[in-house]
Amino acid sequence: MAQTLETTLGDALYIPKPGMLLLPSPVELVGKVLIKGKRPADKEDDETITVESVDQTLPDGKENSSEPVLPKICPELARLTMFNGVKYRNFEQSNEMSCTDMHSFSELKVSKLTKDPANVPLWRKYNLDHLSRTYPAGGRVDSSNYNPIAAWSLGCQMVALNFQTDDSAMVLNDGRFRENGGCGYVLRPRSTFPMNEDRNSCKGRVMLRIRVLAAACLPKPNGDIAGEVIDPFVVVRVHDMIDSVKVDGSGSSPKTNVIKDLAGMSITGAKNSVVKDITDKSNVIKRSISHQVEILETTERKTDTVKDNGFCPQWDDSEVFSFTVGCPDVAMLQIVVMDDDGGGLLDDTVCKAAI
């Protein structure tokens, strides 16, 4: 396999230099193919696959002491491997690893890790000189997707999606990578570069106002040529990371909910926990712990339906949709034109885009 890769790819194959201290820049990798796999580890390496060393006495009186077992990896293929897939243990250890060691996280693992506020700044620090890959949960047997914005806000460079499904997540992915002319990568947002562990990535709130005016020559849904005239309306969504306060306490907490995105993922930010007394009118919460958190919120607005007009529908130009954007360099705007067929699951998508 190693010989085939070198022969077929030739100069396009990027062969890493031994002992790399920094990852190469995108300019150095233009037109290059990089391989992710496994590289053999030394016995002293913490990432070595080992069997527990336990001294035991067998029935015949002989002692049995198991030795560490190294993974069986072809040296010729390992020489071509740029990124070494390593199992995640904790970010303190991960930040000490070689820059070519990388982790892969399922969306469920992302959700679990970010419930601990301390992990968020450490993850962002890790992503300064390492790569992180996230991917959909194995339970998504329908090939649906999770919202990628939460992973992008952490600085994850490779946010894998099910490309076979044309859903909201894929529209966001398409919009994100159009920012750089569709060349294959975009620069990470400034907010994903932590200045220190207490830095909040969502700063500089802005007010976004959108007025939907008109459309022209809208196609029928699903590529249909004949059929009834469509009844279009427009859905405007803002996907954003916002600041919130998560309250943990022994008593019940009215109106204290962690907002989740459409896929059910919540993102916890990095602020030190503080203890404070809360006294409300119902005297429900006496003492609680609050964390400053970052959560993924999707806010949606809809226009009225224009009946029987796909040629040149117009909407009320006095109606303005206002959105407060908490993290402008991460947030995305999604616009969807729908055909009103009675509401809910009966409505068909006409066209959609994200910026």
Side-chain angles (χ1 to χ4, degrees):
M1 181 183 292
Q3 184 179 0
T4 300
L5 287 171
E6 289 193 84
T7 303
T8 305
L9 298 176
D11 293 338
L13 177 62
Y14 185 87
I15 301 177
K17 300 175 183 178
M20 292 180 59
L21 299 179
L22 293 174
L23 293 176
S25 71
V27 174
E28 298 177 66
L29 300 177
V30 171
K32 298 291 186 179
V33 176
L34 283 71
I35 297 177
K36 173 188 176 290
K38 280 284 188 181
R39 288 198 297 269
D42 297 329
K43 289 189 178 183
E44 294 80 10
D45 196 316
D46 287 336
E47 292 305 323
T48 301
I49 299 177
T50 63
V51 178
E52 267 188 68
S53 297
V54 180
D55 291 331
Q56 296 179 342
T57 302
L58 299 179
D60 57 4
K62 296 181 180 180
E63 291 187 353
N64 176 34
S65 179
S66 58
E67 294 293 333
V69 179
L70 294 175
K72 295 180 180 179
I73 300 172
C74 174
E76 292 78 8
L77 188 58
R79 182 178 64 87
L80 308 180
T81 301
M82 172 67 179
F83 295 110
N84 180 35
V86 176
K87 183 178 180 180
Y88 167 82
R89 288 193 174 93
N90 58 72
F91 283 114
E92 289 83 356
Q93 181 176 335
S94 298
N95 280 310
E96 300 300 323
M97 292 179 179
S98 167
C99 63
T100 57
D101 290 336
M102 67 171 292
H103 298 313
S104 293
F105 305 92
S106 73
E107 63 171 290
L108 300 179
K109 187 68 172 180
V110 174
S111 179
K112 180 180 179 180
L113 286 175
T114 52
K115 288 179 181 178
D116 183 354
N119 282 329
V120 175
L122 291 175
W123 198 343
R124 288 192 176 120
K125 180 182 178 182
Y126 171 82
N127 286 332
L128 290 178
D129 47 22
H130 297 79
L131 289 188
S132 289
R133 168 180 169 265
T134 65
Y135 56 92
R140 292 185 178 273
V141 294
D142 58 349
S143 293
S144 59
N145 283 302
Y146 59 105
N147 194 315
I149 290 181
W152 287 334
S153 73
L154 291 166
C156 297
Q157 300 90 346
M158 302 172 66
V159 182
L161 299 173
N162 287 315
F163 269 54
Q164 66 269 33
T165 304
D166 184 22
D167 56 10
S168 177
M170 278 301 301
V171 173
L172 294 174
N173 188 77
D174 177 74
R176 175 67 73 196
F177 287 95
R178 284 179 181 271
E179 293 179 12
N180 204 11
C183 73
Y185 78 94
V186 293
L187 296 179
R188 281 170 46 189
R190 289 284 183 181
S191 62
T192 64
F193 292 86
M195 302 301 295
N196 55 65
E197 292 188 358
D198 293 328
R199 182 176 183 269
N200 191 330
S201 69
C202 295
K203 291 185 177 180
R205 291 178 178 272
V206 299
M207 180 63 70
L208 175 66
R209 295 182 176 87
I210 296 176
R211 180 182 292 116
V212 180
L213 299 177
C217 301
L218 293 175
K220 297 184 185 299
N222 306 316
D224 294 341
I225 298 177
E228 63 180 10
V229 180
I230 66 172
D231 305 318
F233 67 94
V234 180
V235 179
V236 181
R237 299 189 184 109
V238 170
H239 305 265
D240 185 25
M241 301 300 298
I242 66 169
D243 295 337
S244 185
V245 175
K246 180 181 178 182
V247 179
D248 301 320
S250 57
S252 59
S253 175
K255 300 181 180 179
T256 302
N257 298 313
V258 177
I259 305 174
K260 296 186 178 180
D261 74 341
L262 300 178
M265 180 191 296
S266 63
I267 295 299
T268 306
K271 282 289 183 181
N272 293 330
S273 301
V274 296
V275 178
K276 65 179 181 180
D277 292 320
I278 299 179
T279 305
D280 60 9
K281 293 181 180 180
S282 60
N283 202 30
V284 174
I285 304 177
K286 291 295 185 179
R287 190 172 182 80
S288 65
I289 300 176
S290 70
H291 308 279
Q292 189 71 28
V293 299
E294 297 167 22
I295 54 179
L296 178 57
E297 181 184 62
T298 298
T299 307
E300 181 179 290
R301 302 284 188 272
K302 297 180 181 180
T303 67
D304 294 331
T305 299
V306 177
K307 293 291 185 181
D308 298 327
N309 191 346
F311 182 66
C312 56
Q314 298 182 11
W315 286 273
D316 183 3
D317 60 5
S318 64
E319 184 177 25
V320 178
F321 298 146
S322 297
F323 302 89
T324 301
V325 181
C327 199
D329 63 348
V330 171
M332 293 194 69
L333 172 68
Q334 182 182 5
I335 299 175
V336 185
V337 179
M338 304 289 293
D339 178 19
D340 191 345
D341 282 337
L345 298 177
L346 297 177
D347 295 340
D348 295 315
T349 301
V350 177
C351 53
K352 52 193 174 182
I355 55 175

